[in-house]
Amino acid sequence: MRRTVFNEDHEAFRETIRAFIEAEVVPVYDEWFAAGQAPRDFYYKLGELGIFGINVPEEFGGAGMDSHKFEAVLYEETARAGVQFGGSGVHVLLALPYIKMLATDEQKKRYLPKFVTGEEMWAIAMTEPGTGSDLAGMKTTAKLSEDGTHYVLNGAKTFITGGVHADKVIVCARTSAPTAEDRRFGISLFAVDTKSEGYSVGRKLDKLGLRTSDTAELAFVDVKVPVEDLLGEENKGFSYLGHNLASERWGIAFGAYAQAKAAVRFAKQYVQERTVFGKPVAHFQNTKFELAACQAEVDAAEAVADRATEALDAGELTPAEAASAKLFCTEVAHRVIDRCLQLHGGYGYMNEYPIARLYADNRVNRIYGGTSEIMKSIIAKNMGL
C-alpha cells in the first residue's frame, strides 16, 4: 500500500538519520548494551544533528516545526537498525511538550537553548514506589518556604527513564493535600536542577529490555527549588499530565509498529540465509505462511499508526483514539515479534541477534504509558460502557 504520511523532507531526514546510525551507533552499540546506557557525549551529537530542536521554536535555536512525523521517522530508523538512542526519547517526546505548554517566556529562554544542543538533558519523574498508574497517590511533597522564594522538595521516584544522565527533571510533587471531592488536586510540576543539594540518583535499574536507556531511582531530601522553576500553576499538575498523554501514547504505538516492521525484516533476512536440511528456511511453506501473516498484521498496524500520526499533527487525536492505537499496535508487535523470534530458532534467543533484543525491548510497550488494561478501560468508557 502506498503511504501518504511522509513527504520529501521526511525522506531526506530519513536518509540522514540512517547514515548517522550506521556511522555513529551501530559500530559501538554492543558497548552501550553491555554498559547499560548510551554515553553522555552521544546526546551532544544528537543535538548537533538537530534532532532535539525539530519542534522547538526558532527563537530558541530550534527548527520551528510543529509535527511529530520526524519523530516517527526516528522510530522507524532506530527499529530498522535494531538500536536505541539511549534515554533521549523522553527528552523530546515527554519533557518538551510540558516545557512548550507550561513554561513562561522567561523560562523558555533559560531552558530551551540548552535543551536543543543537548547541553541539558531532561527527564520526567512521575512514578513512585507503590504508585504506578495511580498518580493521585503520590507522596513526594514540595512545600513553599516561609519567605516564598523556593519550594522544599522531599520524596522519591522510580522507573525514571533518562534519570542517570538528566540535567533537569520535571518532578511531580504534592503542594497541597487532596480534597474529599478530588484526590487529584494538589499536584504541581517543577523543573528541578539535578545538581541541587539534596538531589541524588539511586540505583541504575537493571531492566529486561531497553538496555541502553538509563533508568534510575531518584531521591529528594530538602531540595530547594526556586519558585521561578514552577511549571504552570500550583496544584493543577494532574490536569497537565493528562493533557500530554495522547502524544505519549501515540509515541508508544508508533514505536511498537516500527518494531514489528523491523522484526519481519530481521526474520526474512535470517530465513533466507539460514539452511536446514539442505534448504533455506525460507523454502518451507510454514515459514512463508508465518511471515505472510506477520506482514499482514504489520500492514494493519502501519495504517493505524499513520492515521494516529495525522490526527496528532492536526491536533485532533482524542484520548480514546490514542488508547486504541496504543492497544492495537503494541498487541500486534507482541504477536509479530514473538513469531519472528520463533523463526530464528535457538539463535533468536541470543542477544547477538537483533530479534532477541527487540523481543525484550518491546515487552514494556504494553505496560508504560498506561497498561493494555487501562487502554481497554478508556476505550470502553468512550463506547459508553
Side-chain angles (χ1 to χ4, degrees), residues 224-263:
K224 293 181 179 180
V225 183
V227 293
E228 293 82 9
D229 287 322
L230 171 69
L231 287 172
E233 295 183 43
E234 194 178 86
N235 299 325
K236 293 187 177 181
F238 200 94
S239 64
Y240 299 147
L241 296 175
H243 184 84
N244 287 322
L245 279 175
S247 62
E248 177 182 355
R249 288 167 179 165
W250 163 82
I252 297 170
F254 203 99
Y257 140 70
Q259 289 176 326
K261 182 178 181 178

Side-chain angles (χ1 to χ4, degrees), residues 240-359:
Y240 299 147
L241 296 175
H243 184 84
N244 287 322
L245 279 175
S247 62
E248 177 182 355
R249 288 167 179 165
W250 163 82
I252 297 170
F254 203 99
Y257 140 70
Q259 289 176 326
K261 182 178 181 178
V264 172
R265 176 175 177 267
F266 296 145
K268 178 182 175 183
Q269 181 179 3
Y270 179 82
V271 299
Q272 289 175 327
E273 297 173 353
R274 173 71 168 164
T275 300
V276 177
F277 303 122
K279 297 179 180 179
V281 176
H283 174 82
F284 299 97
Q285 186 182 62
N286 179 69
T287 303
K288 297 176 182 179
F289 281 8
E290 281 293 286
L291 280 178
C294 287
Q295 183 62 54
E297 289 217 73
V298 168
D299 287 344
E302 181 179 86
V304 169
D306 285 356
R307 186 181 69 176
T309 303
E310 296 284 17
L312 183 63
D313 270 14
E316 299 172 353
L317 185 65
T318 68
E321 290 169 343
S324 179
K326 180 181 184 296
L327 177 67
F328 183 78
C329 291
T330 57
E331 293 292 339
V332 164
H334 162 65
R335 293 191 296 270
V336 167
I337 294 171
D338 183 76
R339 294 167 84 172
C340 287
L341 186 150
Q342 187 73 16
L343 289 173
H344 282 71
Y347 289 105
Y349 208 65
M350 301 295 110
N351 273 326
E352 65 185 275
Y353 283 79
I355 192 68
R357 300 180 183 184
L358 195 59
Y359 183 87

Side-chain angles (χ1 to χ4, degrees), residues 16-28 77 80-81 83 265:
T16 299
I17 292 301
R18 188 172 296 184
F20 174 81
I21 290 173
E22 288 299 320
E24 300 288 345
V25 182
V26 172
V28 294
E77 290 306 306
R80 179 184 182 277
V83 302
R265 176 175 177 267

Side-chain angles (χ1 to χ4, degrees), residues 5-7 10 51 53-56 64-73 92-93 96 100 250 309-310 312-314:
V5 69
F6 298 124
N7 61 28
H10 302 122
I51 287 177
I54 292 172
N55 289 325
V56 172
M65 300 289 184
D66 189 21
S67 171
H68 288 78
K69 293 181 181 180
F70 293 96
E71 292 172 49
V73 171
V92 174
L93 182 63
L96 182 57
K100 291 175 67 176
W250 163 82
T309 303
E310 296 284 17
L312 183 63
D313 270 14

Side-chain angles (χ1 to χ4, degrees), residues 122-137:
W122 287 64
I124 184 165
M126 291 186 278
T127 304
E128 298 181 2
T131 59
S133 297
D134 182 21
L135 292 177

